[in-house]
Amino acid sequence: MATWKTLLLQDSASPLMEQLSFFHDHTLMILVIITVLVGQLLLTLSFNKLTHRYLLEGQLIEIIWTILPAATLIFIALPSLRLLYILDEVNNPTITVKAIGHQWYWSYEYSDFKNNEFDSYMIPVNEMNSFNFRLLDVDNRMVIPFQSQIRIIVTAADVIHSWTVPSLGVKIDATPGRLNQVSFSTSRPGLFFGQCSEICGANHSFMPIVVESVSTKHFIKWISKV
């Protein structure tokens, strides 16, 4: 989860988020190179008293400053298209979970199991324990087994919401009357926090998401008690 003075992305907890972090670093490196190069050229031109009278009329320089941006865009576009394909693909999910956004809480349905539906409300400040996180903890967490392909189907009952867990690299809109789906898998056990990322009303900031990643053994024990 995000902590004080965290300036960069959250630590990745899924292969998808790892790839997103790599793409972020890849693109940032290209942008830094371009910024340094252009800055150096500007400084050189500003403080240099000499001029090249044929520079602005040469075909060679025009070819170079046309090809270089095109090549740069290709280096950015190819990993981006690969990422889009990975994020959108759902291959043989182990478990399907349906998340429904309400004003202002989430409800979950484990459609692979019978009668496994529950609501997830934020824990009020006056009911919190010392180990709870303010405005982030919920009374009923979404529990999943780690290192398993999870498909989540998201919709809303009233207005548009957005089911978002940054450390898993998942952000998907919950639209009334429409089912959106995305797949992910957690690479380690733990608690992963998120919040609704679509302004949905007065209590928009009070409908957090908590994903609890556990072993398959503990998940089976939990699902049999729900």
Side-chain angles (χ1 to χ4, degrees), residues 123-169:
I123 300 177
V125 176
N126 58 347
E127 297 179 13
M128 287 174 54
N129 295 311
S130 58
F131 53 82
N132 290 133
F133 291 103
R134 180 178 173 271
L135 303 182
L136 282 178
D137 259 318
V138 296
D139 53 0
N140 293 309
R141 298 166 178 163
M142 173 183 159
V143 180
I144 57 171
F146 72 93
Q147 294 182 343
S148 299
Q149 192 74 6
I150 310 298
R151 175 174 60 186
I152 182 161
I153 299 174
V154 181
T155 187
D158 33 52
V159 299
I160 298 177
H161 301 277
S162 184
W163 198 88
T164 306
V165 182
S167 58
L168 300 180

Side-chain angles (χ1 to χ4, degrees), residues 104 122 135-136 195-196 198 200-208:
W104 288 271
M122 185 191 75
L135 303 182
L136 282 178
Q195 289 176 303
C196 174
E198 190 75 36
C200 56
N203 292 328
H204 156 69
S205 57
F206 303 117
M207 48 183 303

Side-chain angles (χ1 to χ4, degrees), residues 57-100:
E57 299 176 3
Q59 295 295 322
L60 180 61
I61 191 67
E62 290 187 9
I63 292 173
I64 291 173
W65 68 41
T66 302
I67 291 177
L68 282 180
T72 304
L73 289 176
I74 290 172
F75 276 107
I76 294 175
L78 291 179
S80 176
L81 291 173
R82 175 176 169 270
L83 252 181
L84 284 174
Y85 179 79
I86 293 174
L87 290 171
D88 198 45
E89 191 66 21
V90 180
N91 289 324
N92 301 321
T94 307
I95 295 171
T96 298
V97 183
K98 185 177 181 182
I100 305 172

